[in-house]
Amino acid sequence: MTSHPTNPSRPSGGPSGLSAGSWVLDATRSSVEIKHKSVWGLATVRAAFTGLSGEGEIGLDGSVHGTLTIEAASIHSKQAKLDDHLRSADFFDVERYPTFTFAATGVVTDYTGTAEVTGHLTVLGRTRPLTFSARTTSTGPDDVTLSSQVVIDRNDFGMGWNRAGMIKGLTTVTLITRFTRR
């Protein structure tokens, strides 16, 4: 991860200019999309999750924590057969594990609008630490959007299905999460 210098005139901490209190994910203005190479690297599978929810809290001290929940069965690639396979036990096993969650334990921003997000990702009942950088934008004191691309190794979560070595590399997850103050 790249570190960014802090502006000495602005304290580092939670998203600057945002009010302390409870925040909720605006699912209609948020998206979670995945991209992964398949067919021996010749094709890229793209899909989006449509079932999203989340909430967060900004403390008076600027500390931030929250949760993003993704409904695993809400995956849509525009290919019904592929969607059914992704929902199966070979991949997301939605019958046993209906949701994925990311629990943010901290968000620290700098004066450039970059946020360092730390927390834990749980997929298929396995929890792993995850840290990534996100770009923050807001249109007012009562909303903020975090945008990021996160690279995930599906094998870290026991998603090892790979018939004839068709699946190569890592999965890129593109997140656009918009939160509004309650």
Side-chain angles (χ1 to χ4, degrees), residues 7-145:
N7 181 340
S9 65
R10 182 183 276 177
S12 182
S16 299
L18 298 178
S19 305
S22 297
W23 293 72
V24 65
L25 181 77
D26 181 347
T28 63
R29 299 176 88 184
S30 299
S31 62
V32 175
E33 299 175 353
I34 61 170
K35 179 173 63 171
H36 196 104
K37 292 283 187 184
S38 185
V39 191
W40 303 284
L42 299 174
T44 301
V45 171
R46 297 174 193 277
F49 294 94
T50 58
L52 308 173
S53 62
E55 59 188 11
E57 184 79 25
I58 299 177
L60 292 173
D61 63 355
S63 63
V64 179
H65 66 274
T67 303
L68 173 65
T69 302
I70 301 167
E71 295 174 24
S74 74
I75 192 161
H76 290 284
S77 67
K78 300 180 183 175
Q79 299 175 41
K81 189 174 180 179
L82 174 60
D83 292 345
D84 288 343
H85 191 204
L86 291 172
R87 291 179 186 117
S88 78
D90 288 343
F91 290 97
F92 298 133
D93 199 359
V94 302
E95 294 296 321
R96 289 182 55 205
Y97 304 101
T99 62
F100 313 136
T101 59
F102 176 71
T105 56
V107 178
V108 178
T109 60
D110 67 18
Y111 72 96
T112 68
T114 299
E116 190 77 5
V117 180
T118 58
H120 295 90
L121 177 63
T122 302
V123 177
L124 299 177
R126 295 181 185 195
T127 301
R128 301 288 184 262
L130 181 64
T131 299
F132 58 92
S133 295
R135 181 82 183 136
T136 62
T137 55
S138 64
T139 57
D142 293 329
D143 59 58
V144 64
T145 301

Side-chain angles (χ1 to χ4, degrees), residues 151-168:
V151 176
I152 304 291
D153 185 343
R154 64 191 192 90
N155 293 309
D156 288 347
F157 299 95
M159 219 177 298
W161 185 90
N162 192 5
R163 180 171 291 155
M166 289 178 56
I167 301 173
K168 300 287 185 189

Side-chain angles (χ1 to χ4, degrees), residues 161-178:
W161 185 90
N162 192 5
R163 180 171 291 155
M166 289 178 56
I167 301 173
K168 300 287 185 189
L170 303 172
T171 302
T172 300
V173 180
T174 302
L175 301 152
I176 300 173
T177 54
R178 183 178 184 94

